[in-house]
Amino acid sequence: MPLRCVGRCLTCGELSDDAASANAAQMWCLKHAERTHHGSYELSAFKSFSATMADSTASGSRPPASVRRIRRRARSGRRAGLGRAVVGGR
Ligand SMILES: [Zn+2]
C-alpha cells in the first residue's frame, strides 16, 4: 500500500480527501485558503496495512512461535552482556 497524504486546516479542522501525493493535498489547502482565508495547515502522510495473526489456532495464553523466538534471543543477549562485563573486570 503506497503512502497517502491528507491536508488539514488548523483553523477549522476541515480535512482534505486523502491523495496520492503531497502536492495534491497542498492544492486542497490552497483552495481552502482561497475560499475561507484560513492560513494554517498541517500535511500528514500515512500508510494503511492489514494485520492478522500468522497462527490462528494459537490460544491467547501462548504467544506465536516468532514472538517466543524473539524473547529467547533477548534473554540470551542479556546473559552474554553480563559475561563480557565479568571478563572485562579482571
Ligand atoms: Zn479552514
Side-chain angles (χ1 to χ4, degrees), residues 9 11-12 32 36 38:
C9 174
T11 305
C12 72
H32 184 81
T36 62
H38 295 163

Side-chain angles (χ1 to χ4, degrees), residues 8 25 31 77 83 89:
R8 184 168 74 97
K31 287 177 181 168

Side-chain angles (χ1 to χ4, degrees), residues 25-35 41:
Q26 282 176 319
M27 188 55 69
W28 175 89
C29 297
L30 288 172
K31 287 177 181 168
H32 184 81
E34 185 181 40
R35 183 162 49 87
Y41 295 89

Side-chain angles (χ1 to χ4, degrees), residues 46-60:
F46 64 93
K47 191 172 183 171
S48 302
F49 66 96
S50 301
T52 53
M53 291 292 286
D55 182 4
S56 60
T57 60
S59 74

